[in-house]
Amino acid sequence: MLLLFLLLLSFGEIPGATIKETVGEASGDGQYEDQEESSMETRAEEDTGPKMRLNPGDDGHAQYVLGHFGDNGSCVCKVNSNMWSFPAVKYEAVMQQIQSCEVSLNNLDKQVKLSNQHLPHIQAVIKNVTARLKPYQYLHNKGLYTPLSLRLLGQELSQLETDISTIHSQLNNAQTQKLSKEVGKLRRDVDKMKASDTINMKTVKEKLRYLKNSAESCKSIPKDFRGQEGYCLKGLIRNISEPIVTKVSPYGKTYISGSWGKQAQMNSEGQKSSYWVQGLFNNHAWGNTVRVYQTYEDFMASVNHKDFTFAPSYTAASAIEGPSAVLYGEALYYHCYRSPDVCRYDLNTNIVKRVTLPGTEVGFNNKFQYCYYDCRPYSDIDVEADETGLWALYTTVGNHGNLVVSRLIWDSEAEMLNVSQTWETRLFKKAVSNAFIVCGVLYATRYVNEYYEEVFYAFDTATGREDNSLDPHGRR
């Protein structure tokens, strides 16, 4: 499109512009510049009219525009405006790029600020983890890594040396002499480890566990531990009978969890033939009462019972947690609410005594349950009774989630509940569906199908030895 521009040129009207007679130059900004005199004379001879020069644009080409003088002495020229057309399409594309770049920069700025906020915490975590792993770096490089620290190993060994020395001074037999020699060899190995770090601590830990179990088996075992009256004979159980179905719970079908059975102490006079039921009425996990029947006939008919309340509420410290109770003599033993303790409730005095189970971080509150196929809620601490006494089956972090067996003793003179002995097994509890004690031997079961479980493991507390290759004994 051609656009007619009337450029009114007069001396002094445009700052910095000078026109000599009829010829001038126009710059891109609308100002005029004088040509050199020689060029002006040459062009005047070639063209009869005035000429305006447009400075080069983006394409690098200049253009001369012819014109003529007006009546008032002004220069009139025709100029092609297409040379100066605005690049609207390019402008919009550049603006879009600018906006997109601006958004990207804002997002990047936010990410940088967020990273700067989190960076101190990340650095602190890395520093903490690095400091904790530093003591084990040498063991890791040598392929001897284990989470057990040398200092804790030395402490355990020192305690074991003290225990075996005490037992040897009391018994002084061939077994205690053998234990003393073995613990002496282990002490030399540990001392050598401190000097060179060349012994696998995991192997030493396993040897330490074996010696501790052997020491526990020597310590304070009654002479009639195997049963002088023929209740317990040497060897493992040979068979398990079919289950005996008795009756529906006296509390109805609503409450599906709890414990029941016959009073377990064989020489008890006060509760010799009594049966009992303990229901978990709060969320199938907690309870605070036990019902006692004096005879089997009363139990089957749900008559002549007596209810005992051993805690003021389901969440009291003396309440029961999980299906772990057993009536032994004239007292109920059970796992205390939300704690690593075993409680003893006396039916005659209504007094509750408790003892904390030994071990590093005893599991409770669904930390280490019986599982295998399906987990049993709140089965972390299991109180059991057999022909020889009371037991607590549980798990600790220190024993890597494996079962721990502790023997419970009630001191009637001091009126205290104590733990007399503790054994650590290598049986991972969550791979076990249930466990029980017979004649001082721990047995464990695993799931077979909906109707059967099998006994596959045994640990003898009399010898500290275990066997996980038992011929399966079916149980309905």
Side-chain angles (χ1 to χ4, degrees), residues 8-264:
L8 301 179
L9 305 177
S10 61
F11 292 102
E13 288 183 350
I14 299 176
T18 304
I19 296 181
K20 294 182 179 180
E21 294 183 354
T22 60
V23 181
E25 263 186 318
S27 64
D29 58 2
Q31 294 182 346
Y32 291 85
E33 299 174 355
D34 295 335
Q35 290 182 330
E36 293 182 359
E37 189 172 350
S38 60
S39 298
M40 185 171 58
E41 291 175 353
T42 304
R43 290 173 184 169
E45 293 176 358
E46 295 176 354
D47 302 310
T48 57
K51 183 184 294 184
M52 183 176 66
R53 181 177 182 272
L54 301 178
N55 282 348
D58 293 336
D59 58 358
H61 300 288
Q63 182 178 352
Y64 290 93
V65 181
L66 297 177
H68 64 272
F69 288 109
D71 295 337
N72 57 357
S74 63
C75 178
V76 180
C77 304
K78 288 183 179 181
V79 179
N80 185 358
S81 64
N82 287 335
M83 292 183 58
W84 298 335
S85 60
F86 186 80
V89 177
K90 278 187 175 182
Y91 177 81
E92 291 179 358
V94 171
M95 288 302 296
Q96 289 178 358
Q97 290 180 357
I98 292 174
Q99 291 175 358
S100 176
C101 185
E102 186 178 13
V103 172
S104 299
L105 287 174
N106 289 336
N107 292 336
L108 182 61
D109 183 63
K110 291 180 181 178
Q111 292 177 3
V112 170
K113 289 180 179 178
L114 187 63
S115 298
N116 288 336
Q117 292 175 359
H118 291 169
L119 189 59
H121 173 69
I122 296 173
Q123 289 175 335
V125 171
I126 293 175
K127 185 177 180 181
N128 181 37
V129 172
T130 302
R132 291 167 58 189
L133 291 177
K134 188 176 180 180
Y136 306 111
Q137 189 61 43
Y138 176 82
L139 295 177
H140 176 71
N141 294 338
K142 293 295 184 180
L144 301 174
Y145 175 79
T146 174
L148 179 65
S149 71
L150 194 60
R151 180 177 60 84
L152 294 178
L153 182 67
Q155 291 177 354
E156 288 190 56
L157 183 56
S158 297
Q159 182 61 48
L160 179 60
E161 287 175 323
T162 302
D163 293 342
I164 291 181
S165 177
T166 302
I167 297 171
H168 182 62
S169 63
Q170 294 174 350
L171 302 179
N172 193 18
N173 55 28
Q175 187 175 4
T176 59
Q177 291 176 3
K178 180 181 178 182
L179 284 176
S180 298
K181 291 181 180 179
E182 289 183 347
V183 77
K185 181 180 182 301
L186 185 59
R187 167 56 72 183
R188 290 190 295 273
D189 290 341
V190 171
D191 291 341
K192 183 178 178 182
M193 183 191 303
K194 290 180 179 178
S196 61
D197 280 337
T198 56
I199 297 177
N200 190 327
M201 287 198 295
K202 199 168 185 177
T203 301
V204 178
K205 174 65 176 177
E206 179 59 28
K207 182 67 174 178
L208 182 62
R209 186 194 68 84
Y210 167 75
L211 291 176
K212 286 171 65 177
N213 285 342
S214 299
E216 291 294 324
S217 298
C218 286
K219 184 169 55 178
S220 304
I221 291 183
K223 293 181 179 180
D224 60 347
F225 183 75
R226 286 293 186 182
Q228 292 182 347
E229 299 180 9
Y231 298 124
C232 294
L233 302 175
K234 290 184 179 182
L236 302 176
I237 57 175
R238 296 181 179 180
N239 191 25
I240 299 176
S241 69
E242 295 290 329
I244 300 174
V245 179
T246 55
K247 54 173 289 184
V248 177
S249 167
Y251 302 113
K253 297 180 180 179
T254 304
Y255 304 106
I256 61 174
S257 186
S259 307
W260 69 276
K262 183 180 180 181
Q263 184 281 127

Side-chain angles (χ1 to χ4, degrees), residues 244-250 260 273-277 292-305:
I244 300 174
V245 179
T246 55
K247 54 173 289 184
V248 177
S249 167
W260 69 276
S273 302
S274 61
Y275 284 75
W276 58 278
V277 179
V292 179
Y293 301 87
Q294 289 301 313
T295 65
Y296 177 74
E297 290 73 21
D298 291 344
F299 170 67
M300 292 299 295
S302 296
V303 297
N304 301 327
H305 64 264

